[in-house]
């Protein structure tokens, strides 16, 4: 059973002519999924739809095997944890009180929720501070309270919206370690929405890139890199004449040519084709450097694809 | 440096919990308990309650002790044993009660809006109707709970001291409790509706007071200009005072039956609808 699957999913807000999500089709397996996209790309709308807060206007989908927008949506939410991006904390309550409260709202009995609040706050490293009102907490502690409330009922799937927002490098590392622990030790599926690409790169094993309500790229991190990162730098022993430069288009799109160094996006994933092409052209290839794209380049190219030959 | 637990055991059974509306109400009560406004209102309402009880005890003394016989005529004037006396058991606290409802109820929804916790509630197995029910229930239970001793304590005391011939009718609770329920629901719905329109608890208090006083002023102005007494049915303060009078059968209630029914239905319906609209999941910003 896939973690999340949807087909031709369209979500519309009332009185809005353009749908917020335009016919998305996707299947995500259990793991840590990075959800990337600029502001207004539809990430939050997708999360709302997955939480059952918005009913799809078209298409269908399942979360943990439960149909979206169905009568089971409320019960589905007991199996999902959600850590919002903003400070959704009850400022006049202690971490312990509010985590127990969220546990009760998820269906735990009052006494069990209180016991569970202790356990989960200890798990996220808030053991000693749990009786203090959260208004006096640091940003890192507040983020951990939010994570604790998302975990209090042992969900099968958690949505983490920008979990490292406002954290210093050490705090970010700790939070991401916790995310990895949640998946590795508890077996919880994770959807991590973030604009901090380094975070996603570090923890996610699947990636979805959204823009303007459409999926621009989706798949495993390794597969995405392989599919999108076909850029190579080529240098030949002798300068190319105009006809040979034009023939480079047979290999792929020439993105840049500078001082005899050609930056290409290959049509084929196999870079050895360039050797065969050089031999056919009677050229000696002296440099072939794969560009090991970082995730930000993958994201930028998915969002702003360059036309061939640009 | 935080200390982390070696691992996290699975959560207990999720099917043993209480209904979400009850959990939300309990949390609001716990929140109110922590605040200090309860002390002021506690003293104020306790004083009023003691005054009510003292009047009945004085009446008992006057009736039973020959020394106080000369005062009997005066006592009869203040303790008529009629319908007005029964209805009056709930009335002196009216403005104070509205003020308490504004102070507490004004922040009920607005505080969740300010802290942005409502979307997080809806991300749990909480339906909008659970949320609305919890807020309405809490805002209505508060005045009901405060009025309850005003209806029951004098009645019990009267019954113990003078039996069926005491100043409080034996059947008074049967009339006063429904009146309290209607008045409390009116107060609660108005407070929740007003609070849902505010972005902060303070603004919520302002909204409640503004709506209560504004509707009252408007109704009084129209009444003054047109001479149409029925328009007083728009005044929530008068409505809350009128219901005990109507149900115990006072000769000249503040508002007649039909305007009271229409006005109460209008206020409860309107402000519940406003609160429902303003707390929909689609209004939640994730």
């Amino acid at each position: 059973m896939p973690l999340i699957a949807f087909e031709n999913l369209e979500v519309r807000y009332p009185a809005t002519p353009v749908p917020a999500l335009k016919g998305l089709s996707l299947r995500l397996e259990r793991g840590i999924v990075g959800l990337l996209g600029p502001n207004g790309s539809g990430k939050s709308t997708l999360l709302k739809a997955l939480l059952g807060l918005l009913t799809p206007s078209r298409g269908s989908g399942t979360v943990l095997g439960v149909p979206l927008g169905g009568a089971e949506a409320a019960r589905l939410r007991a199996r999902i944890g959600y850590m919002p991006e903003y400070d959704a904390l009850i400022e006049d309550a202690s971490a312990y009180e509010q985590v127990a409260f969220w546990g009760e709202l998820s269906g735990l009995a009052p006494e069990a929720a209180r016991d569970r609040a202790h356990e989960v706050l200890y798990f996220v490293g808030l053991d000693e501070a749990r009786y203090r009102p959260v208004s006096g907490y640091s940003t890192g502690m507040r983020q951990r309270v939010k994570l604790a409330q998302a975990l209090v009922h042992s969900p099968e799937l958690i949505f983490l919206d920008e979990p490292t927002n406002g954290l210093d490098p050490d705090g970010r590392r700790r939070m991401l370690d916790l995310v990895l622990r949640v998946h590795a030790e508890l077996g919880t599926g994770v959807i991590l929405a973030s604009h901090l690409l380094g975070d996603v790169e570090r923890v996610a094993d699947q990636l979805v890139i959204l823009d303007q309500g459409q999926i621009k790229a989706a798949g495993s991190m390794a597969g995405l890199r392989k599919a999108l990162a076909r850029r190579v730098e080529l240098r030949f022993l002798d300068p190319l004449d105009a006809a040979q430069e034009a023939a480079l288009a047979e290999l792929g799109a020439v993105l840049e040519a500078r001082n005899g160094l050609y930056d290409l996006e290959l049509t084929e994933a196999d870079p050895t084709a360039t050797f065969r092409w050089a031999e056919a052209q009677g050229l000696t290839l002296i440099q072939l450097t794969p560009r090991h794209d970082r995730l930000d380049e993958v994201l930028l190219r998915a969002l702003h694809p360059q036309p061939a030959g640009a | 440096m935080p200390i982390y637990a070696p691992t996290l055991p699975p959560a207990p059974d999720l099917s043993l919990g209480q209904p979400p509306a009850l959990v939300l109400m309990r949390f609001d009560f716990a929140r109110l308990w922590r605040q200090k406004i309860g002390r002021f209102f506690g003293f104020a309402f306790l004083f009023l309650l003691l005054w009510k009880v003292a009047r009945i005890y004085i009446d008992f003394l006057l009736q039973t002790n020959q020394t106080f016989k000369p005062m009997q005529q005066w006592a009869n004037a203040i303790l008529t044993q009629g319908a007005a006396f029964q209805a009056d058991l709930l009335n002196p606290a009216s403005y104070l009660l509205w003020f308490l409802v504004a102070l507490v109820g004004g922040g009920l929804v607005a505080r969740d809006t300010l802290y942005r916790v409502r979307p997080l509630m809806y991300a749990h197995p909480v339906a909008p109707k659970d949320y609305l029910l919890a807020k309405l229930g809490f805002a209505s239970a508060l005045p009901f709970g405060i009025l309850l001793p005003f209806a029951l304590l004098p009645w019990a005391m009267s019954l113990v001291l003078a039996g069926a011939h005491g100043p409080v009718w034996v059947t008074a609770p049967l009339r006063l409790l429904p009146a309290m329920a209607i008045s409390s629901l009116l107060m609660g719905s108005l407070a929740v509706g007003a609070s849902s329109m505010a972005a902060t608890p303070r603004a919520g208090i302002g909204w409640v007071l503004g709506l209560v006083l504004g509707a009252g002023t408007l109704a009084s102005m129209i009444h003054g200009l047109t001479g149409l007494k029925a328009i007083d049915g728009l005044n929530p303060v008068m409505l809350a005072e009128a219901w005990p009078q109507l149900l115990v059968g006072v000769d000249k209630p503040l508002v007649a039956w039909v305007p009271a029914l229409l006005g109460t239905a209008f206020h409860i319906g309107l402000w519940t609808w406003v609160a429902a609209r303003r707390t929909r999941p689609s209004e939640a910003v994730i």
Side-chain angles (χ1 to χ4, degrees):
Chain A
M1 183 183 69
L3 195 66
I4 292 169
F6 40 85
E7 185 70 37
N8 203 20
L9 185 74
E10 183 182 280
V11 174
R12 246 172 226 280
Y13 286 103
T16 312
V18 182
L21 297 178
K22 302 166 188 166
L24 309 188
S25 296
L26 189 65
R27 182 188 169 96
L28 295 169
E29 300 301 328
R30 192 170 284 273
I32 302 180
V33 181
L35 186 59
L36 285 174
N39 292 338
S41 59
K43 295 192 304 273
S44 299
T45 306
L46 180 59
L47 289 184
K48 278 189 196 180
L50 295 178
L51 282 165
L53 301 180
L54 291 174
T55 308
S57 50
R58 197 154 58 88
S60 60
T62 60
V63 178
L64 299 170
V66 178
L68 283 179
E72 296 287 301
R75 261 194 273 174
L76 169 67
R77 290 199 289 273
R79 297 166 63 192
I80 297 178
Y82 172 58
M83 174 183 175
E85 176 188 1
Y86 51 83
D87 268 1
L89 297 174
I90 303 158
E91 298 288 332
D92 54 350
S94 68
Y96 161 69
E97 283 170 315
Q98 53 192 295
V99 171
F101 165 66
W102 294 117
E104 279 197 64
L105 272 189
S106 299
L108 292 173
E111 198 173 326
R114 287 193 289 272
D115 291 345
R116 182 68 179 168
H118 290 296
E119 290 173 357
V120 77
L121 285 167
Y122 184 25
F123 180 77
V124 300
L126 276 175
D127 189 38
E128 291 173 10
R130 63 185 187 270
Y131 294 116
R132 281 167 32 202
V134 295
S135 54
Y137 280 15
S138 68
T139 308
M141 292 162 84
R142 298 169 79 85
Q143 293 290 70
R144 277 183 277 156
V145 177
K146 281 156 57 181
L147 180 61
Q149 66 77 26
L151 292 173
V152 67
H153 54 298
S154 286
E156 296 167 53
L157 170 66
I158 52 170
F159 296 140
L160 307 178
D161 202 352
E162 309 280 2
T164 58
N165 253 9
L167 299 184
D168 59 25
D170 194 39
R172 274 177 68 189
R173 182 184 56 75
R174 283 189 204 147
M175 177 56 75
L176 294 175
D177 284 347
L178 274 172
V179 173
L180 287 168
R181 279 189 71 191
V182 164
H183 176 60
E185 294 177 18
L186 311 179
T188 309
V190 179
I191 307 286
L192 175 78
S194 179
H195 68 274
L196 295 172
L197 304 168
D199 292 357
V200 174
E201 198 168 16
R202 181 163 167 221
V203 298
D205 48 37
Q206 296 166 77
L207 182 67
V208 178
I209 299 174
L210 270 178
D211 187 35
Q212 294 177 349
Q214 292 174 312
I215 293 174
K216 294 292 177 180
S220 72
M221 292 289 283
L224 273 172
R225 282 220 177 86
K226 199 173 172 184
L228 294 170
R230 289 176 176 171
R231 279 173 67 176
V232 291
E233 284 178 343
L234 303 179
R235 191 185 291 277
F236 300 93
L237 184 63
D238 299 313
L240 272 62
D241 58 33
Q244 287 169 326
E245 279 194 346
L248 270 175
E250 294 168 15
L251 286 174
V254 181
L255 302 176
E256 195 179 3
R258 177 171 40 88
N259 300 329
L261 189 69
Y262 298 91
D263 190 355
L264 266 80
E265 186 161 278
L266 298 176
T267 312
E268 290 182 32
D270 179 14
T272 57
T274 55
F275 289 103
R276 292 192 291 277
W277 178 87
E279 191 180 5
Q281 293 288 331
L283 294 167
T284 306
L285 185 63
I286 59 170
Q287 179 186 340
L288 187 150
T289 312
R291 291 285 303 272
H292 292 288
D293 283 3
R294 286 171 49 225
L295 195 58
D296 53 352
E297 290 187 36
V298 175
L299 174 67
L300 284 172
R301 272 191 288 142
L303 296 178
H304 309 291
Q306 289 170 306
Chain B
M1 180 70 186
I3 300 167
Y4 297 95
T7 190
L8 183 65
D13 193 346
L14 290 179
S15 62
L16 300 175
Q18 296 175 339
L22 184 60
V23 175
L24 288 165
M25 277 179 71
R26 278 184 31 236
F27 193 76
D28 276 328
F29 269 112
R31 208 184 226 174
L32 178 65
W33 195 252
R34 277 197 299 270
Q35 296 171 356
K36 290 172 183 155
I37 58 168
R39 293 178 200 168
F40 165 72
F41 283 100
F43 275 118
F45 285 116
L46 187 65
F47 175 78
L48 286 167
L49 184 62
L50 288 174
W51 167 241
K52 294 274 181 198
V53 170
R55 283 176 68 182
I56 293 166
Y57 187 62
I58 288 167
D59 178 54
F60 168 71
L61 289 176
L62 293 174
Q63 299 282 357
T64 55
N65 196 324
Q66 292 304 312
T67 317
F68 298 115
K69 204 68 181 172
M71 297 171 71
Q72 190 63 53
Q73 198 175 356
W74 173 78
N76 287 338
I78 63 164
L79 292 171
T80 56
Q81 301 187 8
F85 178 76
Q86 318 300 316
D88 190 52
L89 287 173
L90 302 181
N91 279 351
S94 176
Y95 270 101
L96 197 61
L97 201 56
W98 274 107
F99 191 51
L100 174 66
V101 167
L103 275 184
V104 176
L108 267 185
V109 180
R111 188 174 284 106
D112 293 342
T113 307
L114 177 68
Y115 295 154
R116 301 175 76 180
V117 292
R118 197 160 49 251
L120 193 52
M121 287 174 184
Y122 290 150
H124 288 75
V126 177
K129 68 175 187 313
D130 295 325
Y131 182 80
L132 195 60
L133 186 66
K135 298 298 172 180
L136 264 178
F138 177 77
S140 306
L142 186 70
F144 189 87
I146 288 170
L147 288 176
L148 199 60
F150 283 85
L152 294 185
L153 203 60
W155 169 76
M157 196 169 166
S158 169
L159 208 60
V160 168
L161 294 177
H165 304 291
V168 183
W169 296 346
V170 178
T171 57
L174 295 176
R175 295 155 187 264
L176 292 180
L177 290 179
M180 279 163 51
I182 296 170
S183 299
S184 300
L185 190 59
L186 173 71
M187 291 177 176
S189 58
L190 204 143
V192 171
S195 182
S196 71
M197 291 190 287
T200 65
R202 281 188 187 183
I205 295 167
W207 269 102
V208 180
L209 291 175
L211 287 176
V212 171
L213 298 176
T217 307
L218 186 69
S220 299
M221 282 171 64
I222 297 173
H223 182 179
L225 287 171
T226 62
L228 191 65
K229 193 174 183 310
I231 204 73
D232 286 337
L234 278 181
N235 187 334
V237 179
M238 286 179 87
L239 281 173
E241 289 186 26
W243 275 107
Q245 298 178 343
L246 288 168
L247 288 179
V248 296
V250 170
D251 286 341
K252 288 182 182 174
L254 278 170
V255 185
W257 268 102
V258 174
L261 277 170
L262 290 176
T264 306
F266 167 77
H267 277 296
I268 293 175
L270 174 67
W271 301 118
T272 305
W273 178 78
V274 167
R277 295 278 297 180
R278 298 280 299 176
T279 56
R280 288 178 301 179
S282 55
E283 298 282 318
V285 180
I286 292 184

